[in-house]
Amino acid sequence: MTEDTTVAAGTERRVRVVLVDDHRMFRTGVQAEIGRTETTGVEVVGEAADVDQAVAVITATRPEVVLLDVHLPGGGGVEVLRRCANLMTAPENPVRFLALSVSDAAEDVIGVIRGGARGYVTKTITGADLVDSVFRVQEGDAVFSPRLAGFVLDAFASTDAPPVDEDLDRLTQREREVLRLIARGYAYKEIAKQLFISVKTVESHVSAVLRKLQLSNRHELTRWATARRLV
């Protein structure tokens, strides 16, 4: 993101925002960029670094917009959306979500939009455009980075779009990441290094995936992932 987030002096626009991202330095940067309320109209009322923190902070502060990273410890952005579903559908003052992620992967975009997010922008967005996107989401608009807009429309409008995969939807975001790497032939130690987690945590994720998908070993898991073109 870049500078130039100033809006017209004396603006009456105000929006309360919660930042959810597991990188503290990124949250600090976003706060510095858009959180100057007198000039941007954005008031950052809370921050969170994982799913449990996010649900707690969002529930406590009831912001108008949540800037939500897709990849989070504890289940990812999709899990935050699932656990905050009642806040999104509240008859008065609903909480709206805008995904802000480095990822532009199809499954990430579709996953959070299906989960109830009102938009998806990548972290290459400028500060001014992010402020504008936050206000648009507050007003009920759907907002997407230009490159993703056409893709999202095609994915939801296409008559031959793949159906919802209930098995895949049972997996958390982290479990999907581990699944994909296992299917690509990575060893547990390599996966741990790539995802910045312990080998024991990788083993726990693999066990959870096998249990949820009712599979017996990594060979069956690889065939399952390959059949769904996840590799």
Side-chain angles (χ1 to χ4, degrees):
M1 294 187 297
T2 62
E3 295 289 341
D4 193 23
T5 53
T6 302
V7 296
T11 179
E12 305 236 344
R13 299 198 307 173
R14 287 289 185 272
V15 59
R16 299 170 68 252
V17 172
V18 163
L19 305 177
V20 180
D21 193 288
D22 61 341
H23 292 96
R24 183 179 59 80
M25 290 185 66
F26 180 76
R27 296 197 311 272
T28 300
V30 173
Q31 163 82 330
E33 184 79 11
I34 73 172
R36 293 173 285 113
T37 310
E38 293 307 311
T39 54
T40 66
V42 176
E43 179 187 2
V44 177
V45 297
E47 298 182 16
D50 60 34
V51 169
D52 288 340
Q53 287 180 16
V55 174
V57 171
I58 293 166
T59 301
T61 61
R62 292 295 294 266
E64 291 153 303
V65 178
V66 177
L67 286 176
L68 180 67
D69 192 12
V70 174
H71 299 151
L72 293 167
V78 171
E79 180 66 9
V80 176
L81 291 165
R82 185 187 70 79
R83 291 169 59 179
C84 292
N86 62 318
L87 300 179
M88 287 189 284
T89 57
E92 294 184 8
N93 304 317
V95 177
R96 296 188 168 101
F97 288 78
L98 173 61
L100 175 62
S101 177
V102 69
S103 170
D104 60 0
E107 68 181 68
D108 288 339
V109 179
I110 298 304
V112 295
I113 298 305
R114 183 189 294 159
R118 295 292 304 173
Y120 195 114
V121 295
T122 61
K123 291 181 178 179
T124 57
I125 192 170
T126 66
D129 284 344
L130 182 57
V131 169
D132 181 64
S133 296
V134 166
F135 277 105
R136 288 175 59 192
V137 167
Q138 178 198 25
E139 293 163 2
D141 288 348
V143 179
F144 297 94
S145 289
R147 200 177 73 78
L148 303 180
F151 160 71
V152 173
L153 288 173
D154 290 345
F156 281 94
S158 175
T159 56
D160 58 357
V164 173
D165 190 324
E166 294 182 359
D167 289 332
L168 188 60
D169 279 353
R170 278 198 287 269
L171 304 183
T172 66
Q173 184 62 44
R174 180 63 85 187
E175 287 168 353
R176 295 185 194 193
E177 293 172 347
V178 171
L179 163 66
R180 187 180 296 106
L181 293 173
I182 285 287
R184 290 175 179 172
Y186 283 73
Y188 285 4
K189 188 177 295 186
E190 294 171 322
I191 296 172
K193 183 177 181 180
Q194 182 155 335
L195 299 181
F196 302 100
I197 57 179
S198 69
V199 173
K200 187 173 182 179
T201 300
V202 174
E203 292 172 349
S204 296
H205 285 315
V206 172
S207 295
V209 171
L210 293 174
R211 183 181 70 255
K212 290 179 180 181
L213 301 181
Q214 299 183 344
L215 301 174
S216 300
N217 52 57
R218 65 182 296 163
H219 300 296
E220 291 183 1
L221 188 152
T222 299
R223 288 198 296 271
W224 188 93
T226 302
R228 285 162 175 75
R229 300 181 180 178
L230 300 177
V231 182

